[in-house]
Structures are given as structure tokens and as C-alpha cells.
Amino acid sequence: MNRTAAVLTARPFSEEDGRAVCTWRYPPPYDVYDLPPWETARARGYGVADAEKRAQFTAVCRGGALAGFFRLRPEDGGVTLGLGLAPEHCGQGLGGALLALCIGAAAARFPGKPLRLEVRAFNARAIRCYRAAGFCETGRFSRAGAAFVRMERES
């Protein structure tokens, strides 16, 4: 394990964590990842604000404080990964450590299933990180006027 990986730990994701994630504000162009305020997120059924969906999330901590999260959803013969780092932790080289936690959890919970994700095509730093963790591009698509890249990693 590398030095950075040791600084991140995983724990269950709580309602308090979901409320915190709804306050995260990223600088442009990453502000597309901003979630709405908690009450709006609840009304719209966002995963972080829905108790049943929240069970699929894992909180990621640095020094005991919430630094990010990931969500593993089994679907279509694989596992879809959603993840995020708090804005103040972005660009610090923690992506590989976060992915190591995600990949380990997916392998333990869903052995033999490919791990999939979608990332906005402009997010070159995330795409580099995913490639370094063994993800390969499997396609591109547009949704609501935004370009996305699909990626997959075999287990």
C-alpha cells in the first residue's frame, strides 16, 4: 500500500455525511458536481439523502473527518461505482487511495463482477486516475448536453 492510501479509511455513510456532501461546492468547471441543498436532494430522491439508497454508500475519512464517499450499485451483471472527494481534498493525489478502497470493497462485496463508472469527458484528472487504477474506456455518450466517458475495470 502506498503512503497516501494509509491516510484514508472507510466507514458507514450516515445521514450527517449526506448533509455534509450537499454543502460541498467545487470551483468551475467542477461545480457541475455540486449537489443541491439537503431538502431539495431529499425531495428529488438523491442517493445521499435517501435512507435506503444511502446504505449503498461508504464514507471515506482522512484524519477521522469526512473526505469523500463512494457508492457501489449492482446492475446489469456488474457494479456501478459513484465516488467523490470533498473539494478541499481534490488535487492532492488522493484519487488513487480512494479508488483502492472502492476496488477493494467491490471485490469483497461483488467478487468477479466488473466495476463500471461514468465520468464527464472534460474531467481529465479523474480519467487519468481511473486509467492508472486499471479502468479502460468502453464508450462515450451525451446526456443533457454534457459529454461522458464510460469506463470499466475487470475484477
Side-chain angles (χ1 to χ4, degrees), residues 5 8 60 67-70 83-85 93-103:
L8 297 181
V60 175
F69 66 89
F70 64 89
L83 67 158
L85 276 172
L94 295 174
L98 174 58
L99 282 172
L101 287 174
C102 298
I103 291 166

Side-chain angles (χ1 to χ4, degrees), residues 5 12 15 24 43 54 75 150:
E15 179 177 319
W24 293 353
R54 204 168 38 245
E75 58 187 16
R150 278 193 184 99

Side-chain angles (χ1 to χ4, degrees), residues 66-151:
L66 182 67
F69 66 89
F70 64 89
R71 180 183 188 187
L72 298 172
R73 284 188 339 241
E75 58 187 16
D76 300 326
V79 179
T80 299
L81 170 64
L83 67 158
L85 276 172
E88 65 270 21
H89 295 288
C90 292
Q92 297 182 15
L94 295 174
L98 174 58
L99 282 172
L101 287 174
C102 298
I103 291 166
R109 294 182 208 167
F110 308 101
K113 302 286 184 183
L115 191 56
R116 302 178 182 130
L117 58 81
E118 297 173 353
V119 58
R120 289 182 183 260
F122 79 82
N123 196 343
R125 71 182 184 191
I127 292 169
R128 275 192 310 273
C129 186
Y130 300 146
R131 283 189 177 130
F135 284 84
C136 297
E137 183 175 329
T138 60
R140 290 179 176 252
F141 68 98
S142 292
R143 180 172 51 229
F148 289 83
V149 177
R150 278 193 184 99
M151 302 184 84

Side-chain angles (χ1 to χ4, degrees), residues 42-69:
R42 275 188 55 202
R44 293 182 184 166
Y46 279 60
V48 298
D50 178 281
E52 190 172 310
K53 293 175 186 173
R54 204 168 38 245
Q56 298 173 330
F57 284 72
T58 299
V60 175
C61 298
R62 184 178 190 188
L66 182 67
F69 66 89

